[in-house]
Structures are given as structure tokens and as C-alpha cells.
Amino acid sequence: MFTAVSRIDTPAPFFGGNRLVARRAASYTTGRRVVQVHAVTNVSRNPNMGKLKAGYLFPEINRIKNAHLEKKPDAAIISLGIGDTTEPIPAPIIDGMISSVSGLGTPAGYAKYGGYGPGEGQAELREKIASRFYPGGEVSADEIFVSDGSKCDISRLQMLFGPNRNVAVQDPSYPAYVDSSVMNGHATSFDASTKQYGNITYLSCNSNNNFFPNLAHANDSEIIFFCSPNNPTGAAATREQLTDLVAHAKENGSIIIYDAAYASYIENPDCPKSIFEIPGADECAIETCSFSKYAGFTGLRLGWTVVPENLKFADGFSVKADWNRLMNTTFNGASNVAQAGGLACLSDEGWNAMTELVGFYKENASILKRTFEDMGYTTYGGTNAPYVWVSFDGQDSWEVFTEILEKCDIVVTPGSGFGPAGDGFIRASAFGHRDSILEATERLKKAFTK
Amino acid sequence: MFTAVSRIDTPAPFFGGNRLVARRAASYTTGRRVVQVHAVTNVSRNPNMGKLKAGYLFPEINRIKNAHLEKKPDAAIISLGIGDTTEPIPAPIIDGMISSVSGLGTPAGYAKYGGYGPGEGQAELREKIASRFYPGGEVSADEIFVSDGSKCDISRLQMLFGPNRNVAVQDPSYPAYVDSSVMNGHATSFDASTKQYGNITYLSCNSNNNFFPNLAHANDSEIIFFCSPNNPTGAAATREQLTDLVAHAKENGSIIIYDAAYASYIENPDCPKSIFEIPGADECAIETCSFSKYAGFTGLRLGWTVVPENLKFADGFSVKADWNRLMNTTFNGASNVAQAGGLACLSDEGWNAMTELVGFYKENASILKRTFEDMGYTTYGGTNAPYVWVSFDGQDSWEVFTEILEKCDIVVTPGSGFGPAGDGFIRASAFGHRDSILEATERLKKAFTK
């Protein structure tokens, strides 16, 4: 074996070809040094991975934050960045999980829930999700597939559809839609001038269109990612808008992947909490959802995806049947303890505690929204969503991000991280302790009041 | 919306084409009935999903078992089928998890482990995995990516490499390698006569070659799946065999995906517990591993994958860098409670308890092996692995499976479920309560002694 070489001046020469050929470690000379080169394999890099630019948004932000901390080691950083829950999990839910864990130490408890569970989730949990979140009977338990979270399901959905699809996303939107689309081969390369990947349709959502896109741009899209309440803008789509969306999908034969991860934050009765409240959505939509932002389950990992019985591919084959097959091949069920936690969330006590927790973060959102407005900024979101979308009048959003970090020791998320139409904005997340949120508003007011 | 139609006599007509076209629900006549047809979407089914035959092995077995139970509702079924752990999780590991769950209900505990963890796993756990499982320093903590299990990582590895790869698998082997390869577009269609998918290289492992394949057949393979101790044959590869495997991969520039999920069952000192004990493996191998079969974590979901720093694609790009990017985009970390459980497994007390648990299942394996041999059957495996591979002298293995189920109310796994070279064998799993194992041996002796 060779000693690692941390940095080489010029690319190492290697022998390529379409067929596998014998490969040897080599040494070569750069300047005055003889550099020992690790043998490379003859496996080409997946070109779709090569198309992805920079890091995934949040690790990238973390990197910049850590660099700031190196310069200013005693900075008391407040994060309004990644939407990461901060409050302890309420007692009735903790109790449910403790009793599940204790059970796993006993023969009876282990026999019930210890081994491999059904790939699609425990029957009792699926029933409870159906009755709690779809009280109108729009969704039945066997259309619910329990998972380790929406982000994971989104990339499994990409596997389901396979490469080279026409995909549309809201712009701005949660980066996982675009990144997983690129990884899965739907996109051509990134265009530095438009800041878009080729062959992905970006549906601009902005204050001029009330954050609901012109769907005509998606006429050719096989798959439309749609998130409501939207991450990052906080916009919750109305019943009328979603009716248009469903009509559009049915008219064009598209499938909507509807991300409802923040649905419990909706308070406006005109905004449905599920796409399946819209008649016909069961023939054109899949819905992903999550316990992460409802009960502080970001680290526990529990979500679900609804694939309706009535959703069919063009040849009439059941999408749900393929999804079931895929889940059984690529996944082995959500953690049994997380599922016990989910079940505890859906008891009356758990449900009330969860509602209270959501209310707490909503109050944070309202404090942040009011602060920015008092400071003279135009804001969106923050009422039906845990995110406040703040306009910085067209300023480069990574510059605004850096300025806020440097002046206030506050991490926000630059709007352009969610797509080119997000430039000029920052997203402030309401996930934080109340005292941090209040301290953040003080620092912001001091440094950024117009 | 239309009323669901459970069964239609003829395929529904639909309008297709290369471009998306307007789609409408339709009605048509079959016999005397007018059938209301659900609107299908215009999204074509992923042809790779269409290539997969039947169900995934274990759900398929479950279906047959349930049919048996319908005929014979009071059958006291014993499962020697799926490798699913049955014994409670040992106390020191339960205690670790209870203290983690309790912590999530407190501000301090939640601040430490409550929110999103690092996508690659908690630093402390990665360190402990490195020192416990790779005590020779073969693997460093930052090459370890903690996950929700090997099966899930295998399909994420497929995403990493992308479609259309030349893949080789041991025959027989764990079905997820082939199924995920088909789903990912490496294979052409299934050939009913050879019982193989086209374009996948099946490396026959049988008693004639001592269960180690002729690697010359894999000269063109970019990716070689290799499992040791093997599931289902129980064969553990020797140091010499693995040295050949690594030499072969380096010679041909292949990447080995080495599944070490049963490594802790190895007792033969000539059989390495990790591919990274072989010099040079860090330049040609990825290793997947799991807590499932060590500590009864099948339902908790915790595993890890080692991607070495020195592993490079043909262009010199780091495989680990792409894996890190992929994990951050498609995964959000293993459940924090499962990670706390993993950490508890690696304390001295936890390690001893885990070793004892592995010993218990190994004793089961030894009982099963002895029984079949006393009955006059030739067996393999069962000493360095929790699986006993029993020869039924060329009989169709689904027939043997059905006969054992009908005569003994015992579920085993038909060998051909693991690949065509598995026909003529059944796999008996040692995961069971001791009294079930003993009862199973009595039933088998009565019905099947030669």
C-alpha cells in the first residue's frame, strides 16, 4: 500500500478505456517531487454525481459558520438557519417510546415489535395516521407507507420513476427535489448564468404571482414537485390554487409529488392540509409527510408517504404496487422505537402536546415576522408556516447571509440556496428556543433596521 | 371522482404517445357492464421496475405461509425462514436507549442529540465502531458512515454508481443485490430458462468450488457484490480467498461491495472479519455492516458502510466524497435512539452481552446443522454463520419448501430464492427461540429422516 498524498500539483495520469484494463499504481514527477499515486479503479464516476454543484445547502452553510467560529471563537451563534427543532419531545410521547424500548428487553415486547416490521410500517400506526391526518377518509391506511422521513422518501420516489424524466419544481424550493433529480439523471449540466440545471423546469413563485406558479410552464412535466406550506417562502396554497394544480396535472397526465411536511402549521381554513382534500388528487398525486416538525422528530426519523390506490402509470399499472415492491427491496421499515413515538403522538394526549409544540414554533415565527416588518422589511410566510421569507430588495442573498453572520452571529439561510428566484431573500427559521429568538431580534434590530 | 372498480375484464383503452397529451377518464363496455375507468396518468412505468419478477423473496414466502394458515388456522408455525432475530435486546443496551429517550424529553438531552444529527452518524459512534470492529486500525472513523442498515445502503450504493453497470453477484446470494441492480437498470430482462437476468454476472458458488467462485467470470465486472459469511450458504471466505478477490479487483479495476453483516459469527481464525484486513482492499472495496444480527437490531435499524479514503473512480475522484454528498442528499441520519443503542453495544458490558447473544444463535445453528446431518443430509455453513445450507439432492427447492411447510408447519427459505445455483437447497435460519429450534428438529426428524 502507498502512503497517502494529500495534495497533488497536476492530475495523476491514468489509463482509461471503454473496457476494463489492468491497472497499476504509478509514480510520476511534479516539479521536483516524485509523487506516489494511489491506484485508481477503472469504474467511471457517475456523471450525474459530477453535475451536482457545491455541497448540499446545509452542510455548506455549516462550513461557513465553522469558518466564522474559527475567526471569532467565542461568538454566541444563534441559528435561524436549518429548520431544526430545538424543544424537548413532550412527556406523553417520551413515555410511549420508553415503554417501547423497555418492551424490546422482554420476550413479549420483542416478539411484538422487536424484529423486522412490515416494510410499509406497523398496521396500527398506519391506521392512526389515516384517521388523524385524513379525517375526511380521503386516504386509507393501506395507502400509507411509513418511512424514516420525507427527504429519504423523495429520493426513493426518484428511484421509482427512474432516470430521464421531465421534472418541474417550484422556484424557490427545498433543495432535495433538484439535487435528487440531478443525481437521478433528469438534468443536463448547471448553467452558471441562469443558475439553473438544464432540463429541469423552474416554476417561479414570487410576490407578483402570489407565490403560486404559472403552471403552463409545466405542461410537459411528468413529475411536479410542489410543497405547501412552501419551504422556504412559507406560502400555503389555497383550495382554489390546489384545485388548479390538480386540474393541470390531470389535464396533462403529470404526477404531483406533494410535500406536506409543514401542513400542521396551517391555520387558514382556505388552505387544505393535504392535497387529497382536492377531488381527483388520488389519480394524480403522491403526498410525503413527516413527524419531524410536528413533534421534534428530526433526529428520530419518522415520516410517511401516501400513494393512492387509484394512481396509475400510463399503461394502467399501479404506482402503489411498484412503490410497495421498491420499499421492500430498498428499505426495511422505520425504527420500531420511532414508530412507537409516532403512535404516542397520535393518542389524545400526544396529539394535544404536539399541537402545543407546533403552536410554540408558530409564535416564534410570528415574533420574527413582526420584527422584520418593524425594521422596515417586506416579509412573506410566517403565519401558516415556521419560516419567514424576508426580502432584502434584490441584494445577493449569500452576501446578506454573510453580513448577518458577521454582524449579528446569526445564521439564516440565503434565499438563492433554494433556487435562483430565491435570490434577494433570506429565510429565517422559527425553530429555536424562545430566548434565542428574542435575543436574535434584538441583534437584528440593532444592525439592520432600515 | 369515480368509484373504484376492483377488477376489469379487458385492459382499459388509453391514449399514449411520446409527448404528454390531454388525458380524460373514460368509460367502456365489457360484456354487459359499462365500466368506469380511472384516468391513468401519462407517466410511463419505469421499465426497470417492470423487469423485476414476482415479489421480493420474503414477502413472497409470507404470502405462501399465510395461505397455509388459511387452510390450517391452528398450525403452530415455526419460522426458520427470514433471518429475523427473536431474543430480547440485552439489558445494558436497553439501558443505553432508555437514557437516550429520557434525554430527548429534557432541554440538555435534546440539545445534544435531539435534532438532525450529522448525516454520516454521531462522531462518538463512528469512533467506537472503528476501534471495536477494526482494532488493527484498518479503518478510520471518518471512513465510517452510520446508516439505517445494510439493505438500505446497498440501494443507496446503486444510486451512487448510477445505471448501466456491469455487476457480478455470488450465486446464490442475498436477493437485494440482484433486485436493486435490476431496479437500477444494470440488467436486461429475466430469462425463464436460465433463471438469470441478462447482463448480470452470476458467480456460481457450490460445494465443487468450496463456495468460492471462479473470478475469471468477473473480469469485466465493474462492481462485484461479495458477502462473507455468505447469506445463504454460510460459507466464510478465508484470508487466502479474500486475498485473491482483492488481487482480482485491483487487476481489473473493479469495486467490491463487501457485505459483512454476519462477520461477528466467524470463529475460524483463517477467515477475516473485514475485507480491510486484506492489504490493498482500501483501494478497491466498500464494506457494509449492521447491528441487526449482532444485537437484535433488525427492527431498530442501525448499520454502517465503510468507504475508504483511498478508493477512487477512474478519473481519480474520491468515491467517499460522492458518497458523502449522496448521503447528505438522500438520507438524514440513522435514528438517534438507534445510535444510542449502537453506542451502548460498544461499551464493555454491551459488547459482552452482544457476544453472548451471537453465541446463542450460533448454538442454534449448530443444533440445526447436527440434526440435518443426523437425518442423512449434507449441510454447509452453520459454524461461522447463523445459516445452515441443506442439500436436498437436486430437488426443486420451492417444492421442498412447500413440503416442509405442509408436513411440519415449518417455514424455511427455498434455495432458489437466492439465485438459480441455490436450487436443490434450503436455508435454515438459526434465529429462533431455543425451544422452537428444538421443536423444529423433532418435527423435521419425524418427517424427513432419510
Side-chain angles (χ1 to χ4, degrees), chain A residues 85 110 151 251 296 312 328, chain B residues 24 41 85 110 151 296 328:
Chain A
T85 48
Y110 199 88
K151 193 200 216 179
E251 196 68 28
K312 310 288 182 191
N328 273 295
Chain B
R24 303 256 173 249
T41 66
T85 48
Y110 199 89
K151 192 199 215 181
N328 273 294

Side-chain angles (χ1 to χ4, degrees), chain A residues 14 16 75 107 109 141 186 198 247 252-253 262-263 265 281 290 302 325 337 341 355 366 385 417 434:
Chain A
F14 73 93
H186 307 320
N252 293 278
Y262 301 97
Y265 287 79
S290 166
L302 192 69
R325 180 73 159 95
V337 177
T355 307
S366 154
R434 181 62 47 82

Side-chain angles (χ1 to χ4, degrees), chain B residues 136-294:
Chain B
E138 312 89 304
V139 166
S140 73
D142 66 358
E143 295 171 314
I144 291 167
F145 293 78
V146 175
S147 78
D148 61 338
S150 284
K151 192 199 215 181
C152 315
D153 275 347
I154 284 161
S155 73
R156 282 186 287 257
L157 285 167
Q158 296 279 16
M159 277 197 266
L160 178 78
F161 290 111
N164 302 318
R165 298 292 188 169
N166 290 327
V167 167
V169 296
Q170 289 164 291
D171 179 18
S173 67
Y174 178 49
Y177 313 140
V178 167
D179 283 4
S180 66
S181 292
V182 174
M183 280 176 35
N184 208 45
H186 307 320
T188 57
S189 58
F190 186 74
D191 181 331
S193 63
T194 60
K195 301 199 171 147
Q196 298 184 346
Y197 289 95
N199 208 38
I200 288 186
T201 301
Y202 290 73
L203 303 170
S204 185
C205 296
N206 50 57
S207 56
N208 295 328
N209 61 21
N210 218 2
F211 295 95
F212 188 79
N214 179 350
L215 293 169
H217 296 307
N219 282 354
D220 284 338
S221 304
E222 296 169 277
I223 297 163
I224 302 174
F225 284 98
F226 197 96
C227 178
S228 176
N230 183 270
N231 175 7
T233 67
T238 63
R239 188 171 311 273
E240 202 186 331
Q241 288 171 333
L242 292 182
T243 302
D244 285 352
L245 177 64
V246 166
H248 183 273
K250 296 207 59 160
E251 197 68 27
N252 292 278
S254 314
I255 292 180
I256 302 160
I257 298 180
Y258 189 82
D259 184 343
Y262 301 96
S264 287
Y265 287 78
I266 292 175
E267 54 197 32
N268 181 348
D270 287 342
C271 298
K273 294 192 175 186
S274 162
I275 189 77
F276 298 114
E277 290 183 33
I278 309 298
D282 62 329
E283 293 173 355
C284 66
I286 288 169
E287 181 167 293
T288 63
C289 209
S290 167
F291 283 89
S292 288
K293 312 301 165 84
Y294 296 179

Side-chain angles (χ1 to χ4, degrees), chain A residues 1-2 4 14 19-24 38-46 48-50 52-56 59 82-89 94 97-98 101-102 104-107 110 113-117 148 151-152 155-156 159-163 165 174 176 179-180 183 219-223 250-255 279-284 292-293 296-301 310-317 322 325-338, chain B residues 1-2 4 14 19-24 38-50 52-56 59 82-89 94 97-98 101-102 104-107 110 113-117 148 151-152 155-156 159-163 165 174 176 179-180 183 219-223 250-255 279-280 282-284 292-293 296-301 310-317 322 325-338:
Chain A
M1 286 200 291
F2 303 102
F14 73 93
R19 249 192 107 268
L20 290 173
V21 292
R23 318 210 42 90
R24 304 256 172 249
H38 284 290
V40 297
T41 66
N42 202 24
V43 176
S44 59
R45 186 180 182 204
N46 178 349
N48 296 324
M49 291 299 300
L52 283 171
K53 69 182 182 68
Y56 182 75
I82 185 169
D84 195 3
T85 48
T86 55
E87 303 308 296
I89 295 174
I94 293 289
M97 289 194 284
I98 287 185
V101 174
S102 305
L104 296 178
T106 69
Y110 199 88
Y113 292 124
Y116 289 120
D148 61 336
K151 193 200 216 179
C152 315
S155 74
R156 282 186 288 256
M159 277 196 268
L160 177 78
F161 291 110
R165 297 292 189 170
Y174 179 47
D179 283 4
S180 66
M183 279 176 35
N219 282 353
D220 285 338
S221 303
E222 297 169 274
I223 298 164
K250 295 208 61 163
E251 196 68 28
N252 293 278
S254 314
I255 293 180
D282 61 330
E283 293 174 353
C284 67
S292 288
K293 312 302 165 81
F297 273 31
T298 41
L300 268 165
R301 314 304 311 138
N310 292 342
L311 185 66
K312 310 288 182 191
F313 290 113
D315 64 358
F317 195 86
D322 268 357
R325 180 73 159 95
L326 184 135
M327 288 297 271
N328 273 295
T329 306
T330 66
F331 183 63
N332 240 332
S335 183
N336 45 16
V337 177
Chain B
M1 284 202 291
F2 302 101
F14 72 94
R19 249 191 105 269
L20 289 173
V21 291
R23 316 212 43 88
R24 303 256 173 249
H38 283 292
V40 299
T41 66
N42 203 25
V43 176
S44 59
R45 186 179 181 204
N46 178 350
N48 296 324
M49 291 299 300
L52 282 171
K53 69 179 183 68
Y56 183 75
I82 186 169
D84 195 3
T85 48
T86 54
E87 302 309 296
I89 295 174
I94 294 289
M97 288 194 283
I98 287 185
V101 174
S102 306
L104 296 178
T106 68
Y110 199 89
Y113 292 124
Y116 289 120
D148 61 338
K151 192 199 215 181
C152 315
S155 73
R156 282 186 287 257
M159 277 197 266
L160 178 78
F161 290 111
R165 298 292 188 169
Y174 178 49
D179 283 4
S180 66
M183 280 176 35
N219 282 354
D220 284 338
S221 304
E222 296 169 277
I223 297 163
K250 296 207 59 160
E251 197 68 27
N252 292 278
S254 314
I255 292 180
D282 62 329
E283 293 173 355
C284 66
S292 288
K293 312 301 165 84
F297 273 30
T298 41
L300 268 164
R301 314 302 313 139
N310 292 342
L311 185 67
K312 310 288 182 190
F313 290 113
D315 64 358
F317 195 86
D322 268 357
R325 180 72 159 96
L326 184 134
M327 288 296 272
N328 273 294
T329 306
T330 66
F331 184 63
N332 240 333
S335 182
N336 45 17
V337 176

